[in-house]
Amino acid sequence: SNTWTKDGISHVTFNLVPDYDIDVMDDARCAEIVVKNIVSGCEKYASTCFAYCVMPDHVHMLVLFKVDPSVLMKQIKGRSAFEINRLMNRRGQLWQPKSWDEPVRDRDYFVSACHYIWNNPVKGGLVKRVIDYPYSNFLKMISKIDDIAQQLFC
């Protein structure tokens, strides 16, 4: 996005194409491919994903970008689409080209955005408790997020 600054933190959302012919993320292998590519993409570009959640038709990420977001998003969306299409024996577009991003400028928004992302599956009726949803980093990050927020926005 044109608002990007190095070391900027953004809440990014991207969506499946509406006419993708299967509920792709209902297949655990597909959701796991997206998770794997979020983690490996962030590692490759030295970016930090504080919160993520892979939903049936969209993905949320809260990322500290060390490269232009379009570079990281192309990596995550491109690799995951390639692997999912191969797995599902189909071709064509998986993700909508556009990603939405909201800059995170203060501590309160940072913490609330993390909880919003992690709570998405509960709000969407997929699980009763955040802890029961396997395609987020809630369990890994929940105990650290207040300290991280404190350090980032001291």
Side-chain angles (χ1 to χ4, degrees):
S1 104
N2 50 9
T3 56
W4 180 70
T5 53
K6 188 170 183 305
D7 300 332
I9 301 171
S10 286
H11 176 187
V12 181
T13 308
F14 57 100
N15 299 287
L16 284 176
V17 291
D19 55 351
Y20 199 90
D21 49 357
I22 42 170
D23 276 330
V24 63
M25 298 310 161
D26 286 350
D27 187 314
R29 296 170 304 171
C30 293
E32 283 158 8
I33 284 170
V34 180
V35 167
K36 182 190 78 171
N37 279 286
I38 291 170
V39 173
S40 64
C42 287
E43 279 173 7
K44 177 174 180 176
Y45 292 110
S47 298
T48 306
C49 190
F50 299 108
Y52 67 76
C53 184
V54 178
M55 292 290 287
D57 63 351
H58 67 281
V59 177
H60 288 283
M61 299 166 49
L62 193 76
V63 184
L64 170 64
F65 286 101
K66 294 290 188 178
V67 292
D68 188 302
S70 64
V71 174
L72 177 58
M73 299 317 296
K74 190 175 174 187
Q75 170 81 16
I76 292 169
K77 290 160 90 173
R79 287 291 321 166
S80 61
F82 174 79
E83 292 177 32
I84 287 168
N85 276 342
R86 189 173 57 189
L87 176 70
M88 293 303 187
N89 197 21
R90 87 182 280 293
R91 346 175 131 262
Q93 201 175 340
L94 176 67
W95 302 110
Q96 293 181 29
K98 188 164 170 24
S99 300
W100 284 263
D101 65 295
E102 180 69 38
V104 177
R105 304 195 197 283
D106 63 59
R107 184 182 160 186
D108 287 347
Y109 183 70
F110 176 86
V111 173
S112 67
C114 287
H115 288 286
Y116 172 84
I117 289 168
W118 292 327
N119 200 50
N120 233 237
V122 175
K123 206 177 93 200
L126 300 175
V127 289
K128 291 260 191 293
R129 303 177 311 161
V130 174
I131 203 167
D132 295 329
Y133 195 70
Y135 312 119
S136 85
N137 61 348
F138 171 76
L139 270 177
K140 182 175 181 240
M141 295 300 290
I142 186 59
S143 63
K144 308 173 189 169
I145 213 68
D146 288 329
D147 289 344
I148 291 169
Q150 187 69 48
Q151 287 160 16
L152 287 170
F153 300 101
C154 53

